[in-house]
Amino acid sequence: MMRRTWWIYLIAVLGLVAVAAPFVWMLLGSFKTQGELLQVPPTWLPQNATTENYDALFSKANFPRYFLNSGVVALVVTAGNLTFCSMIGYALAKLNFKGRNGLFVLVMATLMIPGMVTFVPLFVLVTNAGLANSYPGLILPFLVSPFGVFLMRQFFLGLPDDLIDAGRVDGSSELGIFARIMLPLTRPALATLGILTFLGSWNNFLWPLVIAQTEDKYTLPVALALYSTGQNAQNFGLLMAGAVVVVVPVLVIFLAFQRHVTKGIAITGLK
Amino acid sequence: MFTHSIRRRLVIGCVLALTLAACGRSADTPEAGGQATTTVSDGPATGDLTVWAMGTEGENLPKLMEQFQQANPGAKVTVTPIPWDAAHNKFTTAITAQSLPDAAMVGSTWMGEFADLGALDPTPQGFDNAAFFPGALDTTKVKGVQYGVPWYVETRLVYYRKDLATKAGITTPPTDWAGLKAMAKAMKDKAGAKCGINLQPGGTGSWQTVMPFAWSAGAEITADDQKTFTLDTPAMQEGLQYFQSFFTDKVACTDLPPNQTEAQFVNGTAPMFISGPWMAGSVAKAGGDAMKPNIGVFQLPKNKTATSFVGGSNFVVFKNSKNKDSAWKLVKWLSEEKTQAAWYKLSTDLPAVKSAWQDPSIASDPLLPVFGKQLEDAKAPPSIVNWEQVAVAFDTEIEKMVKAGQSPADTAKAIQTKASQIGTGGS
């Protein structure tokens, strides 16, 4: 048995190395000095491990603030997407009303327009609404995503109508059917949507950059770009240390949700 | 005004959608104006002011603003630091939505574009323009109108390893074109360097090394009206020819790993390069204390002139500021000799005001005074809207010349053709 499968492990290990090596390099690099990072040939292990990059990072007075901003924005955006996308997706998949297909086409159409095209009009709109430099300005434009609606609709389509009928026969309200019967069944889709939305919001750079007019509304990626990139030189060590700090919450979120994602794949396989 | 702002928004929309080429160039008449006749009132600045500044400047500026607020107790300045990488995007978006600060630091190559969008306020009377380095002052002028003032400057010098130069038998730095080439050759032949001098073989920003040679040979990027390019001239070809000859004579290499100038300088692979003042610090960082006394700089060698590149940033006031008078007072205060010297100590940015270089903190530095001398003869590209696009074409042609052996004459012709197709831009 072992003889036949050893090469599968070999390929898996090679894949793991390819995926993990940049992260290990980033982690080790965050303990190197700028001189060592630029050294040729490059080194793996830090020769003189130093925490000066982390010291520099956390000595920037506002660092906890950027972390808080990023966290608040990402969590609210994720919560909004989970709530609204599932509601809209459910309506588009399971409720019969006039113009349903037209609405769905409209949602799909917005999915096909590249974000860069709507970027400036969106910015003008948000600014004219007086939301520049505020949390609502950072959050509102991303509270519902057409992609999320599409994802949830497709998932709801795969669930049998009989469940809804059974709920109605037993006298549950329409909201009750949605919240207590249908929504719990979409947990794998919700987990996927949650991870993708959180990642997207956490890493978003351009929007927070233009909408935040003062430093106290900056998010982590903006602050990181601010402190590590100069006009003529980059502070690579600081960049690595910052990237490590930025990656940690994403890893935590992923570990928390990944069980559900794999479960989702398993369920789809059984159908 | 209505149609004007619509046009402005369209222009920016196009920039952000990366489809600039698809936007027609309107034949609008330029905004009425000419030299501003307004003046800044006397007395201290008052009210709230918001200021944008990039990178480390944005980080350090609040410390300087404390001094300003002490002198002007009625004023409150809020500084927003902006990442360099994305500052251009942030400015153009903010110009579109008219959500700009009162004043800001602006990269000298963006002046043409922002002025063309009608975002900048012309500099009022009462600034001592003769106090600034002439090359830096030129970057504030767009089609004859001055917007803002130079804030800090940088220029390019030849860096060399003193110890290796001695080994190569060179005791005094060269002053002419032949001398520079001979020195690089000696570094290679006698001091064991793989490449005598580290020159960028094309690619982003290589025009900044090539243009100084062309300027020194008497070339200009545009005619005086800043509307027609003059890139295919004998002087331009001479500059290109000189640059190319470093590669054809094998004293510069095309195969050096890029972006490792400091390391290659320290380990002796390429003991000479041409760059700005920030490199003194990063070379010392890469090489440690032992390297410091071995870093030498000298001015660019002379042909007709010995012209270098001047970069840096300007300080501008935006047209839609509600507190313009106080904003200009801030700008005026920033360009005072004392403030400029204080700013150098906070940021190590080199003063744009000539007299500030007398300050002992600069005058006693082993390398900095050479930069000061070079700044007397340093130029920037004209403030035209499309310069960044022309620069990309320029860089590509340099790469063809260096790596594929395209002749300097063909290169000059190709740059001129491409630049003319792109146009100077603007209304």
Side-chain angles (χ1 to χ4, degrees), chain B residues 159-186:
Chain B
Y159 280 76
Y160 71 108
R161 278 273 297 269
K162 281 186 180 167
D163 50 340
L164 291 181
T166 317
K167 211 169 153 192
I170 295 191
T171 45
T172 47
T175 52
D176 57 6
W177 278 19
L180 179 68
K181 179 94 77 57
M183 177 172 178
K185 197 163 169 26

PDB file of all heavy atoms in Angstrom, chain B residues 159-186:
ATOM      1  N   TYR B 159      28.183  58.676  -7.980  1.00  0.00           N
ATOM      2  CA  TYR B 159      28.727  58.083  -6.759  1.00  0.00           C
ATOM      3  C   TYR B 159      29.900  57.191  -7.150  1.00  0.00           C
ATOM      4  O   TYR B 159      29.855  56.536  -8.190  1.00  0.00           O
ATOM      5  CB  TYR B 159      27.673  57.204  -6.074  1.00  0.00           C
ATOM      6  CG  TYR B 159      26.653  57.953  -5.264  1.00  0.00           C
ATOM      7  CD1 TYR B 159      25.622  58.650  -5.886  1.00  0.00           C
ATOM      8  CD2 TYR B 159      26.695  57.938  -3.868  1.00  0.00           C
ATOM      9  CE1 TYR B 159      24.667  59.325  -5.143  1.00  0.00           C
ATOM     10  CE2 TYR B 159      25.739  58.611  -3.120  1.00  0.00           C
ATOM     11  CZ  TYR B 159      24.732  59.297  -3.759  1.00  0.00           C
ATOM     12  OH  TYR B 159      23.792  59.960  -3.027  1.00  0.00           O
ATOM     13  N   TYR B 160      30.947  57.150  -6.319  1.00  0.00           N
ATOM     14  CA  TYR B 160      32.040  56.219  -6.602  1.00  0.00           C
ATOM     15  C   TYR B 160      32.680  55.753  -5.314  1.00  0.00           C
ATOM     16  O   TYR B 160      32.592  56.416  -4.277  1.00  0.00           O
ATOM     17  CB  TYR B 160      33.074  56.859  -7.525  1.00  0.00           C
ATOM     18  CG  TYR B 160      33.909  57.954  -6.875  1.00  0.00           C
ATOM     19  CD1 TYR B 160      35.256  57.736  -6.560  1.00  0.00           C
ATOM     20  CD2 TYR B 160      33.347  59.194  -6.577  1.00  0.00           C
ATOM     21  CE1 TYR B 160      36.017  58.733  -5.964  1.00  0.00           C
ATOM     22  CE2 TYR B 160      34.106  60.189  -5.981  1.00  0.00           C
ATOM     23  CZ  TYR B 160      35.443  59.949  -5.674  1.00  0.00           C
ATOM     24  OH  TYR B 160      36.185  60.931  -5.079  1.00  0.00           O
ATOM     25  N   ARG B 161      33.309  54.572  -5.402  1.00  0.00           N
ATOM     26  CA  ARG B 161      34.037  54.017  -4.263  1.00  0.00           C
ATOM     27  C   ARG B 161      35.415  54.661  -4.224  1.00  0.00           C
ATOM     28  O   ARG B 161      36.246  54.432  -5.097  1.00  0.00           O
ATOM     29  CB  ARG B 161      34.177  52.501  -4.430  1.00  0.00           C
ATOM     30  CG  ARG B 161      32.965  51.702  -4.007  1.00  0.00           C
ATOM     31  CD  ARG B 161      33.001  51.365  -2.528  1.00  0.00           C
ATOM     32  NE  ARG B 161      34.135  50.520  -2.176  1.00  0.00           N
ATOM     33  CZ  ARG B 161      34.083  49.203  -2.169  1.00  0.00           C
ATOM     34  NH1 ARG B 161      32.990  48.571  -2.496  1.00  0.00           N
ATOM     35  NH2 ARG B 161      35.149  48.496  -1.827  1.00  0.00           N
ATOM     36  N   LYS B 162      35.692  55.436  -3.176  1.00  0.00           N
ATOM     37  CA  LYS B 162      36.970  56.141  -3.101  1.00  0.00           C
ATOM     38  C   LYS B 162      38.154  55.186  -3.066  1.00  0.00           C
ATOM     39  O   LYS B 162      39.163  55.402  -3.733  1.00  0.00           O
ATOM     40  CB  LYS B 162      36.993  57.027  -1.857  1.00  0.00           C
ATOM     41  CG  LYS B 162      36.233  58.326  -2.025  1.00  0.00           C
ATOM     42  CD  LYS B 162      36.441  59.198  -0.802  1.00  0.00           C
ATOM     43  CE  LYS B 162      35.700  60.506  -0.921  1.00  0.00           C
ATOM     44  NZ  LYS B 162      35.636  61.208   0.368  1.00  0.00           N
ATOM     45  N   ASP B 163      38.011  54.095  -2.270  1.00  0.00           N
ATOM     46  CA  ASP B 163      39.141  53.176  -2.138  1.00  0.00           C
ATOM     47  C   ASP B 163      39.470  52.498  -3.468  1.00  0.00           C
ATOM     48  O   ASP B 163      40.628  52.350  -3.842  1.00  0.00           O
ATOM     49  CB  ASP B 163      38.856  52.125  -1.045  1.00  0.00           C
ATOM     50  CG  ASP B 163      37.503  51.453  -1.225  1.00  0.00           C
ATOM     51  OD1 ASP B 163      36.644  52.030  -1.915  1.00  0.00           O
ATOM     52  OD2 ASP B 163      37.316  50.349  -0.682  1.00  0.00           O
ATOM     53  N   LEU B 164      38.416  52.115  -4.204  1.00  0.00           N
ATOM     54  CA  LEU B 164      38.651  51.446  -5.481  1.00  0.00           C
ATOM     55  C   LEU B 164      39.168  52.423  -6.534  1.00  0.00           C
ATOM     56  O   LEU B 164      39.943  52.048  -7.414  1.00  0.00           O
ATOM     57  CB  LEU B 164      37.373  50.762  -5.967  1.00  0.00           C
ATOM     58  CG  LEU B 164      36.933  49.549  -5.127  1.00  0.00           C
ATOM     59  CD1 LEU B 164      35.667  48.935  -5.700  1.00  0.00           C
ATOM     60  CD2 LEU B 164      38.039  48.508  -5.061  1.00  0.00           C
ATOM     61  N   ALA B 165      38.746  53.690  -6.429  1.00  0.00           N
ATOM     62  CA  ALA B 165      39.237  54.699  -7.369  1.00  0.00           C
ATOM     63  C   ALA B 165      40.738  54.879  -7.192  1.00  0.00           C
ATOM     64  O   ALA B 165      41.490  54.976  -8.163  1.00  0.00           O
ATOM     65  CB  ALA B 165      38.506  56.014  -7.155  1.00  0.00           C
ATOM     66  N   THR B 166      41.200  54.904  -5.935  1.00  0.00           N
ATOM     67  CA  THR B 166      42.636  55.011  -5.667  1.00  0.00           C
ATOM     68  C   THR B 166      43.374  53.836  -6.280  1.00  0.00           C
ATOM     69  O   THR B 166      44.419  53.978  -6.910  1.00  0.00           O
ATOM     70  CB  THR B 166      42.889  55.030  -4.138  1.00  0.00           C
ATOM     71  OG1 THR B 166      41.929  55.875  -3.535  1.00  0.00           O
ATOM     72  CG2 THR B 166      44.283  55.514  -3.821  1.00  0.00           C
ATOM     73  N   LYS B 167      42.783  52.655  -6.109  1.00  0.00           N
ATOM     74  CA  LYS B 167      43.370  51.447  -6.676  1.00  0.00           C
ATOM     75  C   LYS B 167      43.444  51.546  -8.202  1.00  0.00           C
ATOM     76  O   LYS B 167      44.378  51.043  -8.823  1.00  0.00           O
ATOM     77  CB  LYS B 167      42.493  50.248  -6.280  1.00  0.00           C
ATOM     78  CG  LYS B 167      43.253  48.957  -6.108  1.00  0.00           C
ATOM     79  CD  LYS B 167      42.304  47.945  -5.466  1.00  0.00           C
ATOM     80  CE  LYS B 167      42.673  46.534  -5.828  1.00  0.00           C
ATOM     81  NZ  LYS B 167      41.588  45.613  -5.442  1.00  0.00           N
ATOM     82  N   ALA B 168      42.442  52.189  -8.797  1.00  0.00           N
ATOM     83  CA  ALA B 168      42.405  52.330 -10.254  1.00  0.00           C
ATOM     84  C   ALA B 168      43.273  53.488 -10.720  1.00  0.00           C
ATOM     85  O   ALA B 168      43.338  53.778 -11.911  1.00  0.00           O
ATOM     86  CB  ALA B 168      40.965  52.525 -10.716  1.00  0.00           C
ATOM     87  N   GLY B 169      43.916  54.173  -9.769  1.00  0.00           N
ATOM     88  CA  GLY B 169      44.836  55.245 -10.113  1.00  0.00           C
ATOM     89  C   GLY B 169      44.152  56.576 -10.384  1.00  0.00           C
ATOM     90  O   GLY B 169      44.693  57.425 -11.081  1.00  0.00           O
ATOM     91  N   ILE B 170      42.964  56.754  -9.833  1.00  0.00           N
ATOM     92  CA  ILE B 170      42.257  58.017 -10.055  1.00  0.00           C
ATOM     93  C   ILE B 170      42.211  58.805  -8.755  1.00  0.00           C
ATOM     94  O   ILE B 170      41.671  58.336  -7.751  1.00  0.00           O
ATOM     95  CB  ILE B 170      40.846  57.755 -10.590  1.00  0.00           C
ATOM     96  CG1 ILE B 170      41.003  57.112 -11.949  1.00  0.00           C
ATOM     97  CG2 ILE B 170      40.031  59.048 -10.634  1.00  0.00           C
ATOM     98  CD1 ILE B 170      39.848  56.973 -12.793  1.00  0.00           C
ATOM     99  N   THR B 171      42.837  59.958  -8.748  1.00  0.00           N
ATOM    100  CA  THR B 171      42.921  60.721  -7.510  1.00  0.00           C
ATOM    101  C   THR B 171      41.947  61.894  -7.501  1.00  0.00           C
ATOM    102  O   THR B 171      41.409  62.237  -6.460  1.00  0.00           O
ATOM    103  CB  THR B 171      44.350  61.248  -7.298  1.00  0.00           C
ATOM    104  OG1 THR B 171      44.815  61.779  -8.540  1.00  0.00           O
ATOM    105  CG2 THR B 171      45.275  60.131  -6.845  1.00  0.00           C
ATOM    106  N   THR B 172      41.745  62.513  -8.665  1.00  0.00           N
ATOM    107  CA  THR B 172      40.750  63.589  -8.711  1.00  0.00           C
ATOM    108  C   THR B 172      39.613  63.177  -9.629  1.00  0.00           C
ATOM    109  O   THR B 172      39.849  62.610 -10.704  1.00  0.00           O
ATOM    110  CB  THR B 172      41.364  64.899  -9.238  1.00  0.00           C
ATOM    111  OG1 THR B 172      42.126  64.598 -10.407  1.00  0.00           O
ATOM    112  CG2 THR B 172      42.231  65.561  -8.192  1.00  0.00           C
ATOM    113  N   PRO B 173      38.356  63.424  -9.198  1.00  0.00           N
ATOM    114  CA  PRO B 173      37.202  63.038 -10.011  1.00  0.00           C
ATOM    115  C   PRO B 173      37.232  63.734 -11.372  1.00  0.00           C
ATOM    116  O   PRO B 173      37.689  64.880 -11.479  1.00  0.00           O
ATOM    117  CB  PRO B 173      36.012  63.536  -9.185  1.00  0.00           C
ATOM    118  CG  PRO B 173      36.531  63.730  -7.816  1.00  0.00           C
ATOM    119  CD  PRO B 173      37.971  64.064  -7.942  1.00  0.00           C
ATOM    120  N   PRO B 174      36.793  63.055 -12.421  1.00  0.00           N
ATOM    121  CA  PRO B 174      36.796  63.640 -13.761  1.00  0.00           C
ATOM    122  C   PRO B 174      35.779  64.767 -13.878  1.00  0.00           C
ATOM    123  O   PRO B 174      34.818  64.822 -13.112  1.00  0.00           O
ATOM    124  CB  PRO B 174      36.391  62.462 -14.651  1.00  0.00           C
ATOM    125  CG  PRO B 174      35.613  61.564 -13.761  1.00  0.00           C
ATOM    126  CD  PRO B 174      36.196  61.710 -12.393  1.00  0.00           C
ATOM    127  N   THR B 175      36.016  65.660 -14.837  1.00  0.00           N
ATOM    128  CA  THR B 175      35.095  66.770 -15.032  1.00  0.00           C
ATOM    129  C   THR B 175      34.519  66.799 -16.444  1.00  0.00           C
ATOM    130  O   THR B 175      33.647  67.602 -16.730  1.00  0.00           O
ATOM    131  CB  THR B 175      35.797  68.118 -14.783  1.00  0.00           C
ATOM    132  OG1 THR B 175      36.974  68.146 -15.580  1.00  0.00           O
ATOM    133  CG2 THR B 175      36.166  68.297 -13.323  1.00  0.00           C
ATOM    134  N   ASP B 176      35.038  65.961 -17.342  1.00  0.00           N
ATOM    135  CA  ASP B 176      34.450  65.968 -18.682  1.00  0.00           C
ATOM    136  C   ASP B 176      34.019  64.556 -19.078  1.00  0.00           C
ATOM    137  O   ASP B 176      34.313  63.584 -18.389  1.00  0.00           O
ATOM    138  CB  ASP B 176      35.424  66.552 -19.712  1.00  0.00           C
ATOM    139  CG  ASP B 176      36.745  65.802 -19.737  1.00  0.00           C
ATOM    140  OD1 ASP B 176      36.843  64.754 -19.034  1.00  0.00           O
ATOM    141  OD2 ASP B 176      37.675  66.236 -20.424  1.00  0.00           O
ATOM    142  N   TRP B 177      33.308  64.487 -20.224  1.00  0.00           N
ATOM    143  CA  TRP B 177      32.723  63.219 -20.648  1.00  0.00           C
ATOM    144  C   TRP B 177      33.788  62.137 -20.830  1.00  0.00           C
ATOM    145  O   TRP B 177      33.603  61.001 -20.380  1.00  0.00           O
ATOM    146  CB  TRP B 177      31.932  63.422 -21.957  1.00  0.00           C
ATOM    147  CG  TRP B 177      30.554  63.953 -21.711  1.00  0.00           C
ATOM    148  CD1 TRP B 177      30.107  64.571 -20.584  1.00  0.00           C
ATOM    149  CD2 TRP B 177      29.436  63.884 -22.606  1.00  0.00           C
ATOM    150  NE1 TRP B 177      28.793  64.905 -20.722  1.00  0.00           N
ATOM    151  CE2 TRP B 177      28.344  64.503 -21.957  1.00  0.00           C
ATOM    152  CE3 TRP B 177      29.255  63.385 -23.895  1.00  0.00           C
ATOM    153  CZ2 TRP B 177      27.090  64.625 -22.549  1.00  0.00           C
ATOM    154  CZ3 TRP B 177      27.999  63.504 -24.488  1.00  0.00           C
ATOM    155  CH2 TRP B 177      26.923  64.112 -23.816  1.00  0.00           C
ATOM    156  N   ALA B 178      34.894  62.477 -21.498  1.00  0.00           N
ATOM    157  CA  ALA B 178      35.941  61.484 -21.738  1.00  0.00           C
ATOM    158  C   ALA B 178      36.487  60.981 -20.414  1.00  0.00           C
ATOM    159  O   ALA B 178      36.766  59.791 -20.246  1.00  0.00           O
ATOM    160  CB  ALA B 178      37.053  62.092 -22.586  1.00  0.00           C
ATOM    161  N   GLY B 179      36.620  61.902 -19.449  1.00  0.00           N
ATOM    162  CA  GLY B 179      37.169  61.550 -18.147  1.00  0.00           C
ATOM    163  C   GLY B 179      36.295  60.542 -17.409  1.00  0.00           C
ATOM    164  O   GLY B 179      36.794  59.598 -16.800  1.00  0.00           O
ATOM    165  N   LEU B 180      34.983  60.738 -17.474  1.00  0.00           N
ATOM    166  CA  LEU B 180      34.070  59.831 -16.773  1.00  0.00           C
ATOM    167  C   LEU B 180      34.181  58.418 -17.349  1.00  0.00           C
ATOM    168  O   LEU B 180      34.241  57.438 -16.615  1.00  0.00           O
ATOM    169  CB  LEU B 180      32.623  60.333 -16.879  1.00  0.00           C
ATOM    170  CG  LEU B 180      31.582  59.439 -16.200  1.00  0.00           C
ATOM    171  CD1 LEU B 180      31.750  59.471 -14.690  1.00  0.00           C
ATOM    172  CD2 LEU B 180      30.173  59.839 -16.571  1.00  0.00           C
ATOM    173  N   LYS B 181      34.234  58.351 -18.686  1.00  0.00           N
ATOM    174  CA  LYS B 181      34.333  57.043 -19.337  1.00  0.00           C
ATOM    175  C   LYS B 181      35.652  56.377 -18.950  1.00  0.00           C
ATOM    176  O   LYS B 181      35.682  55.182 -18.638  1.00  0.00           O
ATOM    177  CB  LYS B 181      34.219  57.231 -20.855  1.00  0.00           C
ATOM    178  CG  LYS B 181      34.338  55.963 -21.661  1.00  0.00           C
ATOM    179  CD  LYS B 181      33.003  55.354 -21.980  1.00  0.00           C
ATOM    180  CE  LYS B 181      32.262  56.064 -23.089  1.00  0.00           C
ATOM    181  NZ  LYS B 181      32.988  56.160 -24.343  1.00  0.00           N
ATOM    182  N   ALA B 182      36.756  57.166 -18.978  1.00  0.00           N
ATOM    183  CA  ALA B 182      38.072  56.619 -18.638  1.00  0.00           C
ATOM    184  C   ALA B 182      38.082  56.094 -17.214  1.00  0.00           C
ATOM    185  O   ALA B 182      38.665  55.042 -16.919  1.00  0.00           O
ATOM    186  CB  ALA B 182      39.141  57.693 -18.824  1.00  0.00           C
ATOM    187  N   MET B 183      37.404  56.816 -16.311  1.00  0.00           N
ATOM    188  CA  MET B 183      37.375  56.394 -14.916  1.00  0.00           C
ATOM    189  C   MET B 183      36.642  55.058 -14.777  1.00  0.00           C
ATOM    190  O   MET B 183      37.109  54.142 -14.089  1.00  0.00           O
ATOM    191  CB  MET B 183      36.680  57.457 -14.066  1.00  0.00           C
ATOM    192  CG  MET B 183      36.540  57.062 -12.616  1.00  0.00           C
ATOM    193  SD  MET B 183      35.931  58.431 -11.621  1.00  0.00           S
ATOM    194  CE  MET B 183      35.831  57.655 -10.030  1.00  0.00           C
ATOM    195  N   ALA B 184      35.487  54.952 -15.453  1.00  0.00           N
ATOM    196  CA  ALA B 184      34.732  53.700 -15.380  1.00  0.00           C
ATOM    197  C   ALA B 184      35.561  52.545 -15.945  1.00  0.00           C
ATOM    198  O   ALA B 184      35.539  51.425 -15.431  1.00  0.00           O
ATOM    199  CB  ALA B 184      33.416  53.839 -16.140  1.00  0.00           C
ATOM    200  N   LYS B 185      36.311  52.842 -17.010  1.00  0.00           N
ATOM    201  CA  LYS B 185      37.142  51.814 -17.638  1.00  0.00           C
ATOM    202  C   LYS B 185      38.251  51.370 -16.683  1.00  0.00           C
ATOM    203  O   LYS B 185      38.526  50.174 -16.531  1.00  0.00           O
ATOM    204  CB  LYS B 185      37.736  52.364 -18.936  1.00  0.00           C
ATOM    205  CG  LYS B 185      38.261  51.281 -19.862  1.00  0.00           C
ATOM    206  CD  LYS B 185      38.437  51.842 -21.274  1.00  0.00           C
ATOM    207  CE  LYS B 185      39.212  50.911 -22.189  1.00  0.00           C
ATOM    208  NZ  LYS B 185      39.169  49.492 -21.889  1.00  0.00           N
ATOM    209  N   ALA B 186      38.853  52.359 -16.000  1.00  0.00           N
ATOM    210  CA  ALA B 186      39.926  52.042 -15.052  1.00  0.00           C
ATOM    211  C   ALA B 186      39.389  51.203 -13.897  1.00  0.00           C
ATOM    212  O   ALA B 186      40.063  50.293 -13.402  1.00  0.00           O
ATOM    213  CB  ALA B 186      40.552  53.334 -14.535  1.00  0.00           C
TER     214      ALA B 186
END
